[in-house]
Amino acid sequence: MTGASAGIGKATAKRFAENDDKVLLIARQEKRLTRTVQEIEADVPGADVEPLALDMADPGSADILRDHVTATGLPVGGLLCCAGAVPPSPGTDAGDVEPVLTEWRDAYRSNVLTAVLAVESLVPLMADGGAIVLYSSVAAYRGSGGTGGYGAAKAALHSYVHLLATRLGPRDINVNAIAPGYVAGTDLFGDGLPAAREAKLVRQTALGRAGDPVDIAELGFYLCGQPGGYITSQIVQINGGAHHGV
């Protein structure tokens, strides 16, 4: 599981640990990842969780990940790619393309390559009947801030999901994406959203509340389990009924 040190990834890792699954937690920051593992072990006695500090946007990490998993001798039953980030906004001053290029490169590196490299490195090691879940966003449907790099990157995952579902269907591996709306309690927005912006996002929901990482974790767990085994090539929105308008 990538992006496992905080937010949705952390909650999802804990959900699988509660099911007595062996969970490999992957994230960039080793100290933070180690702390997450310790917290899960404290909350879930007997949890079989292991940290592996990697930046999955780095091509070399794909080989390290594959070798590490191969050494365990265990097949991969599920792969959840939670890693992602919103790049800093460059502004929209006309004519200055370098900041825009940086935004789009960072968006694809953090949100697309982290998933593609993890998937392609581990597909040969996956058990038939396994599952892959990629993490998109409501931004893929309604756009994002800055010059749009983040939303476009998340939308790119949708095409990849459909391709993988067709490619891996003969092995009975289901492939889906989860597209959350606003979820509180994550690090996606750095130090947090301005109160007015957060209130607006909550007002857009039918349920009148922000999502919680646990909400998203439960859906990821379902898609990787037997009850979700016939669901594939889907982009599953989970946003409390939020409107698509900004």
Side-chain angles (χ1 to χ4, degrees):
M1 178 179 307
T2 69
S5 64
I8 292 171
K10 178 180 176 179
T12 305
K14 182 179 178 182
R15 180 64 183 90
F16 279 88
E18 290 170 343
N19 193 55
D20 294 329
D21 293 314
K22 179 177 180 58
V23 188
L24 178 64
L25 283 70
I26 303 165
R28 291 178 299 170
Q29 300 180 33
E30 185 171 5
K31 289 183 179 179
R32 190 175 183 184
L33 187 58
T34 299
R35 185 167 62 249
T36 295
V37 168
Q38 292 170 344
E39 291 174 3
I40 293 176
E41 290 175 336
D43 291 339
V44 186
D48 190 357
V49 290
E50 177 186 1
L52 180 62
L54 290 174
D55 180 356
M56 287 311 306
D58 180 353
S61 292
D63 293 334
I64 296 172
L65 175 60
R66 183 179 59 249
D67 292 346
H68 182 91
V69 174
T70 299
T72 69
L74 300 173
V76 179
L79 172 60
L80 299 96
C81 297
C82 303
V86 178
S89 172
T92 56
D93 292 338
D96 189 0
V97 300
E98 284 301 320
V100 175
L101 182 59
T102 297
E103 179 198 346
W104 281 68
R105 281 176 171 166
D106 288 349
Y108 270 74
R109 185 179 189 278
S110 299
N111 297 285
V112 179
L113 290 183
T114 51
V116 172
L117 293 177
V119 169
E120 297 300 335
S121 66
L122 293 184
V123 158
L125 305 179
M126 289 199 70
D128 291 352
I132 296 173
V133 180
L134 308 185
Y135 284 74
S136 177
S137 167
V138 67
Y141 293 93
R142 68 184 189 187
S144 57
T147 61
Y150 176 75
K154 289 301 190 183
L157 293 176
H158 298 186
S159 176
Y160 188 48
V161 160
H162 300 318
L163 170 71
L164 286 173
T166 301
R167 171 180 154 196
L168 301 177
R171 293 178 55 191
D172 198 28
I173 295 174
N174 67 316
V175 186
N176 298 285
I178 295 175
Y182 173 55
V183 178
T186 75
D187 293 339
L188 190 63
F189 302 100
D191 294 331
L193 288 173
R197 175 61 174 160
E198 183 174 22
K200 182 178 181 180
L201 292 174
V202 170
R203 284 198 305 272
Q204 290 175 354
T205 69
L207 297 178
R209 70 171 179 88
D212 186 277
V214 173
D215 299 324
I216 318 304
E218 197 62 41
L219 178 56
F221 180 77
Y222 175 82
L223 290 173
C224 288
Q226 185 176 4
Y230 197 58
I231 301 172
T232 196
S233 198
Q234 302 300 308
I235 315 301
V236 186
Q237 297 193 59
I238 177 168
N239 54 36
H243 303 301
H244 284 174
V246 177

